């Protein structure tokens, strides 16, 4: 047993750190650290910087332009990227649709789509959830009917993250309504500029526009946009959901948020002294730090087992549950750390370069908003209750 | 990064596991626990014959030079069997203190006996008012002729009734909670002035209150330098905590396995109760708690490889916090999921639950370690 990184891994960590220092644009870093809104261009610039280095497609094999990294390198990379205050890599193209195309796609699909993802020519979004298909994903109703060389698609997708930036959407559609629900689903790639596609914003409880509804009305989709076989889309969907998920614990995010919490709590005063010196508050910070330590070690155990050829199965569900719980606990403490100044909510303050003065300390402005936003963590990607069902079935055999 | 056991470690695990599973069923364990000494001399000899008592000691001291991982492997299997033999008291704490503090002569004389299983030790450190504060020692040792005279009372001394020798901490100088001024003496349990009130604990282990009333010992009873024992006490306590974490993981594994098995067998409303989601999710929470506990036990076992002594100390505090929280959760949920039968003496499960909860009362509970971690936590530069 050896809990340290090898000299090669440590050298790699230094290399990633150096890259972050040199190539992460300062304005983007300032936005991430200050809790400001990121625009499409911020993501695109960051993706391009990573792609130039060959570090954008961390999950892809080398032959398609990926890094070919193993799980430990990916883990180090993710940790250093979040520590540096970089935006996360938008996953929809790079780590969702691409692995499905690589695994199930035709040669033509690989040749066409993969370079476009690397070069930022396409922005993908995910067409999975529907108003009637949330945790019960296989209940999708969006209908695709084959007519000659096309499918005609009708229906509605929802919770489409950053769909307002996207020109492509990968969808689970129903191609056969007469069989068991998992057996009549297909995986379809749809150009969002096609007539009949409408994107409508959903404003979330923090007042932000992050997710959307996408409507399809007699949308003509060429049959060559089908990935895998018709009616075998559930296989693609499951592959995507269980695909390499060692990053799911969000250890890097948790550590960055914890550092932020300590900074905020040491600047806030209580009875004239730093809040972080208040034994009661400090013990709560200590508790989450201990939970982060335990999460990190559990994550490393899974990472090491995958590096040794193991398959990350339902352990991902444990990491998802604990990772999201800890991150939510930290945002809860952040909100409480700033006391009454958690309340003022001036949306313009979140805009980088805005001349609107925040009401309290600048770091206080986004904290309540982020707290409410992070409630999503335990809901998306399979709610934590669904994760418990998975553990119950796959690990416990109940 | 490698979480695998070496071949030798795996063999050690199998050796202990075989002994525990073949000769330590719950009824046998109850019998040992209820015996006068609270454990079995036969089992003790068998453990000695297997060479287990040399595991944590350096090769110079006649041990196998085993590190934290070997200790973890042994303690985890002991936890699976709810083993009551005084391994923690004699080998980890007592032997650990002699190795850390003793001079060559003392190490040679006593560690050999510990390793061969012929000497039982108990660490008489805690006092009625000290709770978990390792620095709080009010028992006094005063110079008396060429030796020392000891007076005071030691509380909940594990295996204090069966030990041949007590390792008694006493203050040779300083105030009640000073780190400096604490010394450790080797005292015969039967020495004049030593009174031992033995009693059983609720988890099947044994302990004693030890009264020291003008106990005279020679200068050769002092372990290490006078007044300078605290760093060794803290170090040995950290090892003890790591050992307890591993024991708790073993006991948690049992509680989780037994509860899962029960959910699959017990029928109500015509179906196995494990199909009910309310119970499934509690079972999942128990399983998650076990994995977190295992992660922390691994960290604690490897704490001596940490970047700095401060980090090692933080790791051990953090581990005991998680072990305390996870242990309580697993214990309470295991009883709850069993329902009424979980409340009975007859079932093995509640005995694991009792040990899990009581481990939180040994060498510092969750509150204590959270407070200590909190004090040592890294904070932003002002």
């Amino acid at each position: 047993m050896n809990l340290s990184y090898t000299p090669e891994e440590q050298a790699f960590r230094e290399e990633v750190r150096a890259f972050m220092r040199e190539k992460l644009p300062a304005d983007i870093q300032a936005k991430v650290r200050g809790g400001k809104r990121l625009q499409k261009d911020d993501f695109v610039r960051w993706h391009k910087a990573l792609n130039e280095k060959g570090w954008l497609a961390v999950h892809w094999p080398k032959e398609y332009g990926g890094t070919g990294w193993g799980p430990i390198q990916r883990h180090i990379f993710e940790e250093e990227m979040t520590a540096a205050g970089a935006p996360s890599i938008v996953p929809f193209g790079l780590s969702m649709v691409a692995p499905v195309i690589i695994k199930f796609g035709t040669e033509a699909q690989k040749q066409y789509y993969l370079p476009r993802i690397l070069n930022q020519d396409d922005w993908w979004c995910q067409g999975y959830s529907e108003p009637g298909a949330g945790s019960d994903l296989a209940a999708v109703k969006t209908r695709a009917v084959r007519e000659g060389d096309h499918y005609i698609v009708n229906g509605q997708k929802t919770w489409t993250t950053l769909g307002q930036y996207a020109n492509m959407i990968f969808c689970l559609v129903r191609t056969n309504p007469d069989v068991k629900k998992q057996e009549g689903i297909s995986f379809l790639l749809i150009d969002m500029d096609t007539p009949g596609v409408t994107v409508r914003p959903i404003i979330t409880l923090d007042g932000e526009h992050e997710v959307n509804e996408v409507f399809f009305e007699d949308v003509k989709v060429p049959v060559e946009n089908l990935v895998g076989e018709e009616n075998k889309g559930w296989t693609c969907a499951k592959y995507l959901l269980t695909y390499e998920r060692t990053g799911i614990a969000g250890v890097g995010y948790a550590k960055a948020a914890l550092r932020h919490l300590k900074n905020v709590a040491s600047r806030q005063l209580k009875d004239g002294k730093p809040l972080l010196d208040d034994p009661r508050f400090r013990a709560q910070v200590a508790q989450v730090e201990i939970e982060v330590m335990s999460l990190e070690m559990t994550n490393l155990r899974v990472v090491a087992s995958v590096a040794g050829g193991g398959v990350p199965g339902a352990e991902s569900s444990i990491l998802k549950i604990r990772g999201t719980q800890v991150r939510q606990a930290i945002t809860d403490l952040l909100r409480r750390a700033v006391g009454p100044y958690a309340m003022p909510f001036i949306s313009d303050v979140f805009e980088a370069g805005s001349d609107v003065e925040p009401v309290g300390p600048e770091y206080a402005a986004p904290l309540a908003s982020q707290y409410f936003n992070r409630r999503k963590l335990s809901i998306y990607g399979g709610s934590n209750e669904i994760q418990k069902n998975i553990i119950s079935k796959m690990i416990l055999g109940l | 990064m490698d979480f695998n056991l070496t071949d030798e470690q795996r063999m050690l695990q199998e050796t202990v596991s075989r002994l525990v599973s073949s000769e330590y069923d719950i009824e046998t364990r109850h019998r040992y626990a209820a015996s006068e000494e609270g454990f079995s001399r036969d089992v003790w000899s068998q453990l000695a014959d297997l060479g287990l008592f040399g595991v944590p000691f350096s090769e110079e001291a006649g041990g196998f030079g085993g590190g934290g991982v070997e200790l973890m492997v042994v303690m985890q299997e002991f936890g699976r069997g709810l083993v009551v033999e005084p391994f923690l008291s004699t080998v980890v704490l007592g032997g650990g203190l002699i190795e850390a503090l003793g001079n060559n002569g003392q190490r040679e004389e006593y560690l050999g006996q510990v390793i061969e299983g012929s000497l039982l030790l108990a660490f008489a450190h805690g006092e009625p008012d000290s709770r978990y504060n390792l620095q709080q020692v009010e028992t006094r040792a005063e110079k008396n002729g060429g030796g020392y005279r000891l007076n005071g009372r030691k509380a909940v001394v594990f295996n204090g009734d069966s030990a041949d020798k007590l390792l008694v901490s006493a203050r040779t100088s300083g105030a009640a909670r000073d780190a400096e001024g604490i010394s450790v003496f080797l005292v015969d349990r039967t020495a004049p002035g030593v009174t031992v009130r033995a009693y059983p604990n609720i988890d099947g282990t044994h302990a004693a209150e030890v009264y020291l009333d003008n106990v005279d010992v020679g200068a050769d009873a002092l372990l290490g330098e006078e007044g300078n024992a605290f760093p060794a006490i803290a170090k040995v306590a950290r090892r003890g905590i790591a050992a307890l974490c591993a024991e708790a993981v073993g006991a948690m594994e049992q509680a989780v396995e037994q509860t899962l098995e029960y959910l699959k067998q017990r029928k109500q409303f015509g179906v196995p109760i494990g199909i009910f989601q309310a119970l499934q999710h509690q079972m999942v929470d128990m399983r998650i708690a076990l994995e977190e506990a295992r992660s922390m036990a691994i960290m604690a076992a490897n704490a001596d490889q940490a970047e700095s002594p401060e980090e090692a100390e933080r790791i051990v505090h953090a581990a005991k916090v998680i072990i305390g929280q996870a242990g309580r959760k697993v214990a309470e949920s295991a009883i709850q999921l069993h329902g009424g039968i979980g409340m009975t003496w007859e079932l093995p499960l509640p005995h694991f639950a009792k040990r899990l909860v009581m481990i939180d009362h040994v060498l510092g509970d969750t509150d204590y370690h959270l407070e200590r971690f909190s004090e040592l936590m890294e904070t932003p530069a002002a």
Side-chain angles (χ1 to χ4, degrees):
Chain A
M1 199 168 284
N2 181 357
L3 308 193
S4 357
Y5 291 99
T6 64
E8 294 76 29
E9 287 159 355
Q10 273 159 349
F12 175 70
R13 186 184 288 280
E14 287 309 318
E15 193 189 352
V16 176
R17 268 186 202 165
F19 175 83
M20 296 294 157
R21 265 195 312 272
E22 284 162 32
K23 299 292 181 179
L24 174 61
D27 61 317
I28 296 179
Q29 182 188 49
K31 283 186 183 181
V32 171
R33 292 229 160 119
K36 308 285 188 198
R37 280 187 202 106
L38 290 164
Q39 307 298 338
K40 180 175 184 178
D41 173 63
D42 299 322
F43 289 110
V44 170
R45 268 194 296 152
W46 178 228
H47 287 177
K48 283 189 166 166
L50 288 169
N51 192 36
E52 227 167 78
K53 175 81 176 168
W55 281 1
L56 181 59
V58 298
H59 291 295
W60 302 10
K62 272 195 164 146
E63 51 178 315
Y64 299 110
T67 56
W69 286 339
I72 293 180
Q73 281 170 303
R74 281 200 295 272
H75 172 77
I76 292 171
F77 178 73
E78 281 161 14
E79 196 169 75
E80 290 304 323
M81 197 165 68
T82 41
S88 51
I89 296 175
V90 178
F92 308 107
L94 283 152
S95 49
M96 291 187 169
V97 76
V100 170
I101 290 174
I102 290 170
K103 172 93 174 168
F104 300 101
T106 62
E107 206 42 50
Q109 285 169 337
K110 291 179 202 175
Q111 298 275 339
Y112 180 74
Y113 290 112
L114 298 180
R116 293 180 59 84
I117 291 173
L118 284 180
N119 297 328
Q120 305 300 297
D121 296 329
D122 291 330
W123 185 298
W124 284 87
C125 63
Q126 182 181 27
Y128 267 33
S129 297
E130 295 183 5
S135 290
D136 183 12
L137 185 59
V140 289
K141 282 205 193 79
T142 295
R143 196 72 172 91
V145 179
R146 177 86 184 251
E147 278 183 17
D149 292 341
H150 288 84
Y151 289 102
I152 306 298
V153 178
N154 280 284
Q156 181 193 348
K157 294 292 174 181
T158 192
W159 311 129
T160 313
T161 302
L162 301 183
Q164 70 267 37
Y165 299 156
N167 65 310
M168 292 297 295
I169 182 168
F170 57 94
C171 287
L172 294 182
V173 294
R174 186 151 305 282
T175 36
N176 186 347
D178 303 322
V179 290
K180 201 173 147 226
K181 61 184 177 181
Q182 286 86 354
E183 287 163 13
I185 294 171
S186 298
F187 193 97
L188 206 55
L189 313 178
I190 302 178
D191 185 335
M192 294 179 75
D193 291 331
T194 319
V197 179
T198 315
V199 179
R200 216 174 70 190
I202 298 173
I203 303 303
T204 42
L205 76 178
D206 50 352
E208 294 294 313
H209 176 198
E210 192 174 26
V211 288
N212 302 272
E213 296 177 290
V214 182
F215 297 89
F216 301 89
E217 205 183 332
D218 293 330
V219 176
K220 277 179 78 174
V221 181
V223 289
E224 59 260 31
N225 285 19
L226 177 74
V227 180
E229 288 174 48
E230 191 178 274
N231 295 325
K232 292 277 193 276
W234 190 243
T235 312
C236 301
K238 274 196 305 189
Y239 177 72
L240 193 157
L241 289 176
T242 56
Y243 186 75
E244 181 51 81
R245 295 173 94 191
T246 47
I248 199 168
V251 175
Y253 294 107
K255 285 172 125 178
L258 181 64
R259 273 193 299 274
H260 190 46
L261 171 62
K262 286 181 177 178
N263 278 320
V264 168
S266 61
R267 286 154 79 178
Q268 285 293 114
L269 295 180
K270 185 195 172 203
D271 300 333
K273 287 181 293 195
L275 176 64
L276 195 54
D277 294 344
D278 172 68
R280 190 174 152 72
F281 194 85
R282 193 181 175 91
Q284 295 182 77
V285 177
Q287 175 72 40
V288 291
E289 175 157 331
I290 290 169
E291 289 179 22
V292 170
M293 287 169 79
S294 145
L295 174 71
E296 181 174 24
M297 188 49 56
T298 308
N299 190 49
L300 288 173
R301 284 170 51 210
V302 176
V303 166
S305 125
V306 173
V311 181
E315 287 77 14
S316 302
S317 296
I318 293 182
L319 297 175
K320 201 262 174 176
I321 292 171
R322 286 302 294 138
T324 55
Q325 285 173 339
V326 171
R327 286 169 65 194
Q328 287 180 336
I330 296 172
T331 57
D332 178 51
L333 285 170
L334 271 163
R335 163 182 68 80
R336 286 153 57 195
V338 294
Y341 277 126
M343 294 192 75
F345 181 63
I346 303 171
S347 185
D348 284 349
V349 171
F350 306 143
E351 214 57 61
S354 155
D355 53 8
V356 180
E357 184 96 353
V359 181
E362 196 173 6
Y363 58 74
L367 295 178
S369 175
Q370 284 172 350
Y371 160 80
F372 286 113
N373 180 277
R374 299 303 183 267
R375 305 316 302 165
K376 72 188 177 189
L377 300 180
S378 49
I379 298 171
Y380 70 25
S383 72
N384 285 12
E385 289 71 28
I386 288 290
Q387 303 298 337
K388 288 188 181 182
N389 289 351
I390 293 171
I391 296 167
S392 182
K393 194 172 163 190
M394 308 300 287
I395 296 184
L396 301 179
L398 289 174
Chain B
M1 201 163 297
D2 179 14
F3 292 90
N4 295 310
L5 298 177
T6 62
D7 287 345
E8 290 77 22
Q9 289 164 347
R10 209 168 300 119
M11 270 169 57
L12 178 64
Q13 183 178 44
E14 280 162 20
T15 303
V16 186
S17 167
R18 208 175 308 124
L19 179 79
V20 169
S21 58
S22 67
E23 301 195 26
Y24 221 85
D25 62 275
I26 194 80
E27 292 306 325
T28 309
R29 187 261 187 185
H30 288 335
R31 212 173 59 243
Y32 297 156
S35 69
E36 200 189 331
E37 291 191 305
F39 70 97
S40 156
R41 292 267 176 181
D42 279 350
V43 172
W44 190 250
S45 308
Q46 288 184 58
L47 296 173
D49 291 346
L50 291 172
L52 295 185
F53 301 161
V55 161
F57 300 115
S58 65
E59 281 165 33
E60 303 89 80
F64 298 111
V69 177
E70 284 76 11
L71 188 57
M72 175 180 83
V73 162
V74 172
M75 288 303 293
Q76 198 169 320
E77 296 306 318
F78 283 175
R80 289 188 63 90
L82 289 179
V83 168
V84 287
E85 278 59 35
F87 183 80
L88 183 71
S89 294
T90 294
V91 180
V92 181
L93 300 177
L97 271 175
I98 291 173
E99 186 176 34
L101 285 173
N103 56 37
N104 286 339
Q106 288 165 328
R107 285 211 294 262
E108 222 162 274
E109 179 175 0
Y110 298 117
L111 288 184
Q113 294 181 58
V114 166
I115 291 170
E116 69 182 32
S118 60
L119 179 69
L120 295 177
L121 301 172
F123 184 27
H125 182 56
E127 299 184 357
D129 294 327
S130 66
R131 283 184 76 82
Y132 302 116
N133 186 347
L134 290 175
Q135 289 181 205
Q136 181 160 342
V137 174
E138 293 179 77
T139 294
R140 282 165 311 156
E142 274 146 9
K143 279 247 164 66
N144 180 31
Y148 297 86
R149 172 165 288 183
L150 275 54
N151 276 289
R153 175 176 168 187
K154 294 294 177 176
V156 200
V157 176
F158 297 105
N159 308 104
D161 53 335
S162 53
D164 302 304
K165 285 190 184 292
L166 306 170
L167 290 102
V168 177
S169 58
R171 191 160 282 291
T172 36
S173 66
R177 281 179 290 276
D178 288 352
E180 282 96 53
I182 300 171
S183 305
V184 173
F185 299 90
L186 267 167
V187 179
D188 278 346
R189 178 177 48 92
T190 52
V194 176
T195 310
V196 174
R197 183 190 168 196
Y199 46 84
N201 292 320
I202 193 162
D203 59 5
T205 60
H206 260 231
E209 298 295 289
V210 175
Y211 302 83
L212 302 149
D213 190 14
N214 290 328
V215 177
D216 290 325
V217 295
D220 59 346
L222 177 68
L223 276 179
E225 267 177 67
E226 183 185 293
N228 238 343
F230 186 71
I233 291 174
K235 183 181 155 204
V236 167
R238 283 199 290 276
R239 251 210 164 180
I241 289 167
L244 284 167
C245 289
E247 183 191 345
V249 167
M252 263 182 248
E253 283 176 353
Q254 282 280 12
V256 166
E257 287 163 19
Q258 290 169 20
T259 306
L260 182 57
E261 191 54 33
Y262 187 73
L263 290 191
K264 290 175 179 175
Q265 282 177 1
R266 167 76 173 165
K267 285 189 176 163
Q268 286 288 272
F269 308 102
V271 291
I273 59 174
I275 73 157
F276 298 123
Q277 199 173 43
L279 307 192
Q280 288 178 351
H281 285 195
Q282 281 194 62
M283 189 70 234
V284 168
D285 290 339
M286 286 171 69
R287 182 55 205 264
I288 293 175
L290 166 61
E291 289 311 321
E292 295 191 297
R294 197 192 304 279
S295 290
M296 295 314 282
I298 290 171
M299 278 184 90
N302 290 281
D304 48 6
Q305 292 174 22
E307 289 163 19
S308 64
E310 295 77 29
E311 180 62 9
E313 208 175 328
R314 275 195 292 269
I315 286 171
V316 170
H317 290 306
K320 195 69 166 46
V321 169
I322 293 285
I323 290 290
Q325 291 169 343
R328 180 178 153 203
K329 169 160 200 66
V330 167
E332 291 176 355
S333 299
I335 293 174
Q336 178 68 23
L337 291 182
H338 274 82
I341 196 78
M343 294 296 296
T344 62
W345 186 278
E346 179 194 348
L347 202 70
L349 180 272
H351 301 285
F352 288 91
K354 285 188 290 183
R355 181 61 185 152
L356 279 174
V357 174
M358 286 302 116
I359 282 177
D360 200 40
H361 293 254
V362 185
L363 294 176
D365 65 7
T366 302
D367 294 329
Y368 169 79
H369 287 287
L370 184 60
E371 195 183 344
R372 295 289 297 131
F373 181 92
S374 186
E375 287 163 12
L376 296 169
M377 186 168 69
E378 285 185 321
T379 51

